[in-house]
Amino acid sequence: MMRVLVLGGTYEASKLAHLLAEARGISATMSFAGRTKAIVAPPIPYRIGGFGGVEGLLEYLKVEGIDVLVDATHPFAEQISSSALVAAKRAKIPLAILSRPPWVRTVQDNWIDAADMATAADVLGHEPKRVFLTIGRLQLEVFTKAPQHFYLIRTIEPVAVSPRLPNHRVIHGRGPFAVEMEEKLLREESIDRLVTKNSGGEAAFAKILAARNLGLPVIMVARPGGTMQGPFHDPAKVMDFILHHQLARRGV
Ligand code: NAP
């Protein structure tokens, strides 16, 4: 049996899990950070929770006899990707990185590039605006430096601590979203700026299309540098990579 560990928490990881569940001679486990309470159970065994940094992940790889590590985490999940890179190298096992391609601007888009979330808060400007924040729960505090705006915040699950933003409302939703519904929301809430991470992928793309259709400026936060992204964008290609290593192990 070839043992595969998939670091997940994304739609792509779940697609890969379905392929792995069908494969012969492969015993794969999915790992979730545990940030989302309502986990969509994959069709392979799974574990939940951090490993305890590089050392913890390395220990897990050794104890579980993992042969191939797949980093299928979100492109903005920097810490775990960095741990995966180092731990795989030290464990001398192959690492496949599955990462969705970023969204690419078209001539119809009105994007304002922001290198990071703090820059995104700055480029909102001094004039009070109605801002749609679709950045998850962890970086909401950054916007306390721009308290003059109204923030409509969309998260998958309720935020544990209410953001210290004087004028905000939290709504919940898990993609994929329909373009028509996103347009309706943007119109009804009189939104004049959308702030998003350049996560890529289809599930969250409807808001980008809706903003495009309405001519709405989008503050697009760039992916963090430093972490290696790719080279795989397709779960099927990662399966090829795993199967290649499976054959190599058998000496075929
Ligand atoms: P992060 O900053 O890279 O991770 C923080 C810590 O959480 C890591 O150091 C690790 O703890 C643990 N961790 C993260 N992913 C894990 C996994 N798949 N299995 C086990 N432990 C994991 O990541 P994040 O931005 O907080 O994201 C957490 C998870 O949510 C990721 O799995 C990611 O795929 C998913 N996600 C993130 C975003 C986003 O925008 N960042 C969006 C959608 C989904 P230890 O150091 O103790 O091992």
Side-chain angles (χ1 to χ4, degrees), residues 156-213:
I156 295 179
E157 290 185 345
V159 281
V161 182
S162 185
R164 291 182 301 125
L165 298 167
N167 198 4
H168 77 270
R169 185 152 57 84
V170 182
I171 57 171
H172 304 298
R174 188 197 282 264
F177 300 97
V179 183
E180 300 73 30
M181 295 308 288
E182 296 288 65
E183 273 190 45
K184 189 165 172 268
L185 181 69
L186 294 173
R187 262 203 231 99
E188 281 178 359
E189 295 288 341
S190 307
I191 296 297
D192 32 34
R193 292 290 183 278
L194 163 68
V195 180
T196 178
K197 297 172 179 175
N198 194 339
S199 301
E202 288 163 26
F205 190 56
K207 65 190 172 195
I208 307 296
L209 285 177
R212 183 185 295 168
N213 294 344

Side-chain angles (χ1 to χ4, degrees), residues 39-207:
I39 279 176
V40 181
I44 55 173
Y46 63 94
R47 62 166 300 285
I48 301 174
F51 296 94
V54 175
E55 297 304 327
L57 178 55
L58 187 59
E59 176 75 7
Y60 182 94
L61 297 176
K62 285 183 180 160
V63 169
E64 297 295 323
I66 301 297
D67 300 296
V68 174
L69 178 61
V70 181
D71 175 9
T73 59
H74 191 272
F76 281 77
E78 279 185 275
Q79 253 176 284
I80 189 72
S81 292
S82 151
S83 293
L85 205 63
V86 178
K89 202 168 178 185
R90 283 178 54 191
K92 296 188 175 61
I93 60 167
L95 167 71
I97 301 171
L98 174 60
S99 164
R100 39 179 116 145
W103 295 315
V104 178
R105 179 200 316 258
T106 70
V107 284
Q108 290 115 11
D109 288 308
N110 182 4
W111 289 6
I112 300 157
D113 294 321
D116 50 36
M117 210 53 81
T119 311
D122 291 338
V123 298
L124 286 172
H126 297 297
E127 285 295 305
K129 296 189 181 62
R130 292 183 64 84
V131 180
F132 187 26
L133 278 187
T134 60
I135 58 160
R137 291 173 290 169
L138 302 182
Q139 287 176 289
L140 295 172
E141 280 294 300
V142 171
F143 291 86
T144 53
K145 68 170 169 168
Q148 68 274 31
H149 309 298
F150 163 78
Y151 295 99
L152 179 68
I153 300 165
R154 183 166 67 196
T155 59
I156 295 179
E157 290 185 345
V159 281
V161 182
S162 185
R164 291 182 301 125
L165 298 167
N167 198 4
H168 77 270
R169 185 152 57 84
V170 182
I171 57 171
H172 304 298
R174 188 197 282 264
F177 300 97
V179 183
E180 300 73 30
M181 295 308 288
E182 296 288 65
E183 273 190 45
K184 189 165 172 268
L185 181 69
L186 294 173
R187 262 203 231 99
E188 281 178 359
E189 295 288 341
S190 307
I191 296 297
D192 32 34
R193 292 290 183 278
L194 163 68
V195 180
T196 178
K197 297 172 179 175
N198 194 339
S199 301
E202 288 163 26
F205 190 56
K207 65 190 172 195

Side-chain angles (χ1 to χ4, degrees), residues 2-8 13 16-17 20-21 26-32 42-48 51 60-61 64-72 242:
M2 184 181 197
R3 307 259 309 138
V4 176
L5 175 66
V6 181
L7 303 171
L16 176 62
L20 285 163
I26 294 178
S27 159
T29 302
M30 176 81 91
S31 175
F32 294 103
I44 55 173
Y46 63 94
R47 62 166 300 285
I48 301 174
F51 296 94
Y60 182 94
L61 297 176
E64 297 295 323
I66 301 297
D67 300 296
V68 174
L69 178 61
V70 181
D71 175 9
I242 292 168

